[in-house]
Amino acid sequence: MTDEYEPVIGLEVHARLLTKSKLFCSDPNDFGNEPNTLVSPVSLGHPGTLPFLNEAVLDKALMLGLACGCEIAGKMYFERKNYFYPDLPKGYQISQIQTPVCSGGFIEIESDGTGKKIFLNRIHLEEDAGKSIHDFDKKYSQIDLNRAGTPLVEIVTEPCIHSPEDAYLFLSELRNMVRFLEVCDGNLEEGSMRCDANISLRKKGEKILNPKVEVKNVNSLRFLKKAIEYEINRQAQELKSGNRIVPHTRSFDAEKGLTFAMRSKESADDYRYFPEPDLPPVFISENRILNAKERMSELPGNFRKRFRNEYGLAPKEAFILTEEKSMALYFDQLAQKTGDGRASSNWMLTTVKAYLNREQKEMSEFPVEVERLAELILHVKNGVVSHSAASSEIFEELVKRKDVSAETIARALNLEQQSDVSMIDDFILKAIEKHPEKVKAYRNGKKGLAGFFMGEIMKMSKGKLDPQLTEKLLLESLNKK
């Protein structure tokens, strides 16, 4: 990073929409199939074939635009973006430039403890190209056209980002939003989301925008941050050496941690946009917009604010609990059923998270219903079982045995805590008689030894005594002269 220059960053994010079929034909919109099996004459660009708009794509785009506070186009049309690549069968891509489905809006991030708006220029629809594969054969490149024609939204920010950290936070928040809305699965590694970063530098205090360099197709949050950091330092060195920054496109080498030049930067004129003659204009009705609003789920930012306000969670806790929609929904129900947001959060972030990591499962695969885990948390809170027994032995049985309650497991394993005063007094007496010198030291002022006696008593009782009642009776016995 540099003290002399201010980075100016704009992001372009392509997100593949979660529809059953492609944007302009009925080919399956899927991932991971055998190459060139999800194709048809339309996606292969055969002469005489005609596109037909998949309206489910439009509805997904509307949901994302509404979530970002965008202005929705009343009328839009598609355009041909002309360029040649071997994996683009038609020789052009159907996209939007003049009438994007959504304009303006913003996504709010939390940066340095404060909210910050990252403003959007547009969200528009377009079809994806196929994929060229260069590492299977030394002599030839191979083409997989399964991806050709899959539906994308491109989210374009204004050049209003000024640090790699804020770019990272924006992409992270956008990824969470599309997953919560079920617009896109947000899988960067599989290419469901791809990010291009436009980066330029200007001297601090200046307002002009200088020539930009575009880093293409970054497929990781961490790599995006590293690519921008590298590019800022590279451009700063060029400027300090008296060199001009020439607009061009670069790629990021993740292994080496650097960007490298690919080609000169194309402009809109290079693509020779013109209205797509085979598709009529699309009119978006108020009724369609209202239907999209009704299908929208609560957004991660709203969940975070509510979790902090209603359950008293720290910002970091709320952030972790909203990384997955299934996690946020589960925690919300759990906190309501236990009436204790703090205890519910602690269980989710420790015991439940540890189980998911160990088993390599998503929260959507967690086998314990909310009601059963809530019962276990309340048993701990009410002193029926110890936290230690609950989080290890009883929890492990809950995940193995469906439809069995925490209470049933606690009884079967003989883990219910005892509140019988005479039984507790017996254990206290044994501990005191076993360590008379420590009793004397306690009564001479070493009050911390109370913890030692509690440990001894719990060890002898195998953790079955009510800890709060035991501590109360122990202190009464120790404080007797």
Side-chain angles (χ1 to χ4, degrees):
M1 300 295 288
T2 174
D3 295 328
E4 185 178 354
Y5 298 99
E6 175 190 44
V8 180
I9 303 160
L11 300 181
E12 301 171 9
V13 184
H14 290 86
R16 187 176 70 201
L17 297 174
L18 285 172
T19 55
K20 292 181 180 179
S21 54
K22 293 183 180 179
L23 181 50
F24 296 117
C25 64
S26 60
D27 299 352
N29 177 26
D30 209 346
F31 176 84
N33 298 70
E34 287 295 313
N36 300 307
T37 57
L38 306 179
V39 293
S40 68
V42 177
S43 55
L44 292 174
H46 286 190
T49 56
L50 294 172
F52 188 85
L53 177 63
N54 177 357
E55 294 195 7
V57 170
L58 177 58
D59 293 332
K60 298 281 186 186
L62 289 177
M63 289 170 67
L64 181 58
L66 291 168
C68 297
C70 299
E71 181 179 343
I72 307 299
K75 174 187 175 182
M76 68 174 198
Y77 57 87
F78 289 93
E79 288 140 307
R80 288 189 182 182
K81 180 181 180 180
N82 296 273
Y83 63 99
F84 174 77
Y85 280 108
D87 53 19
L88 190 68
K90 295 191 293 285
Y92 62 86
Q93 178 187 35
I94 301 178
S95 182
Q96 294 182 312
I97 187 169
Q98 296 294 336
T99 59
V101 61
C102 308
S103 302
F106 64 88
I107 290 177
E108 188 168 0
I109 62 172
E110 292 186 32
S111 178
D112 299 323
T114 58
K116 184 183 293 186
K117 291 179 179 178
I118 305 298
F119 291 97
L120 305 183
N121 177 279
R122 57 165 53 211
I123 299 173
H124 67 258
L125 289 165
E126 65 182 21
E127 60 179 345
D128 207 350
K131 184 178 181 181
S132 297
I133 303 164
H134 308 293
D135 52 2
F136 280 1
D137 191 292
K138 292 182 179 180
K139 192 174 181 181
Y140 300 103
S141 291
Q142 296 176 307
I143 305 296
D144 179 8
L145 294 175
N146 280 348
R147 202 172 67 184
T150 56
L152 301 176
V153 284
E154 182 173 355
I155 303 99
V156 183
T157 77
E158 296 289 358
C160 61
I161 302 171
H162 299 292
S163 72
E165 293 76 16
D166 283 359
Y168 175 99
L169 290 171
F170 170 84
L171 186 58
S172 177
E173 186 66 15
L174 175 60
R175 181 172 178 260
N176 276 2
M177 283 180 67
V178 298
R179 294 171 98 178
F180 273 62
L181 292 168
E182 297 180 13
V183 163
C184 170
D185 64 21
N187 194 321
L188 288 153
E189 294 76 16
E190 292 182 358
S192 298
M193 285 185 75
R194 308 192 296 275
C195 185
D196 304 337
N198 293 288
I199 305 145
S200 66
L201 297 187
R202 65 187 175 194
K203 286 195 173 181
K204 290 188 174 177
E206 290 184 351
K207 297 299 180 186
I208 60 167
L209 292 174
N210 289 325
K212 65 187 178 183
V213 171
E214 183 179 29
V215 181
K216 295 285 287 184
N217 291 334
V218 185
N219 67 346
S220 154
L221 289 164
R222 185 166 57 90
F223 291 165
L224 175 68
K225 188 167 179 280
K226 286 181 174 294
I228 294 173
E229 288 172 346
Y230 178 87
E231 190 57 26
I232 290 171
N233 290 326
R234 187 193 69 81
Q235 290 188 32
Q237 290 300 319
E238 290 286 327
L239 292 171
K240 287 177 181 177
S241 300
N243 299 323
R244 290 174 57 249
I245 301 297
V246 178
H248 65 286
T249 299
R250 299 176 74 86
S251 187
F252 179 65
D253 186 322
E255 290 187 7
K256 296 179 181 178
L258 54 80
T259 66
F260 59 91
M262 294 171 64
R263 59 180 182 269
S264 60
K265 177 77 176 154
E266 299 95 341
S267 67
D269 291 340
D270 295 324
Y271 291 125
R272 296 176 290 114
Y273 283 98
F274 65 86
E276 169 56 59
D278 293 330
L279 286 166
V282 178
F283 295 88
I284 302 174
S285 68
E286 284 296 323
N287 190 49
R288 183 170 218 120
I289 294 171
L290 288 172
N291 287 338
K293 280 183 181 177
E294 289 175 359
R295 290 201 301 274
M296 289 170 61
S297 65
E298 188 172 359
L299 296 171
N302 295 338
F303 270 115
R304 285 196 294 272
K305 289 175 185 174
R306 190 161 60 76
F307 288 174
R308 292 198 298 265
N309 294 335
E310 290 185 16
Y311 305 130
L313 302 190
K316 187 174 182 180
E317 293 173 316
F319 183 83
I320 296 172
L321 288 168
T322 54
E323 287 181 322
E324 285 184 60
K325 183 178 181 179
S326 53
M327 177 78 77
L329 292 172
Y330 191 102
F331 165 75
D332 198 17
Q333 295 176 46
L334 186 66
Q336 290 178 31
K337 288 191 176 296
T338 62
D340 191 331
R342 296 291 321 153
S344 298
S345 173
N346 289 338
W347 271 84
M348 293 295 294
L349 296 177
T350 55
T351 309
V352 174
K353 271 276 192 182
Y355 167 81
L356 295 174
N357 291 337
R358 185 181 75 230
E359 300 296 324
Q360 297 184 319
K361 290 180 181 291
E362 298 291 328
M363 187 65 209
S364 56
E365 301 172 285
F366 185 54
V368 182
E369 298 86 350
V370 172
E371 292 77 12
R372 292 201 297 149
L373 185 57
E375 180 192 20
L376 180 57
I377 293 171
L378 289 173
H379 276 357
V380 174
K381 187 177 179 180
N382 296 329
V384 177
V385 294
S386 69
H387 185 275
S388 174
S391 60
S392 55
E393 298 180 71
I394 300 175
F395 178 82
E396 291 302 317
E397 289 300 312
L398 278 181
V399 298
K400 293 176 188 174
R401 301 166 62 186
K402 289 190 174 184
D403 303 324
V404 179
S405 69
E407 183 178 8
T408 301
I409 294 170
R411 285 178 180 169
L413 298 178
N414 195 25
L415 293 173
E416 291 181 309
Q417 292 185 145
Q418 298 294 326
S419 300
D420 186 292
V421 173
S422 61
M423 179 186 293
I424 295 172
D425 281 338
D426 285 343
F427 281 108
I428 292 172
L429 183 60
K430 288 177 184 177
I432 288 175
E433 288 178 344
K434 187 177 179 182
H435 301 283
E437 72 290 349
K438 293 192 183 298
V439 174
K440 186 177 180 181
Y442 173 87
R443 289 172 177 167
N444 286 333
K446 291 189 176 181
K447 301 301 182 183
L449 286 169
F452 166 79
F453 281 105
M454 277 294 293
E456 285 292 293
I457 293 165
M458 287 300 171
K459 192 188 298 181
M460 287 189 290
S461 67
K462 297 181 179 179
K464 292 180 183 177
L465 301 185
D466 182 327
Q468 293 179 330
L469 181 57
T470 301
E471 184 178 26
K472 177 177 177 291
L473 296 174
L474 170 65
L475 293 176
E476 287 176 1
S477 296
L478 289 173
N479 290 325
K480 287 179 183 177
K481 297 295 184 181

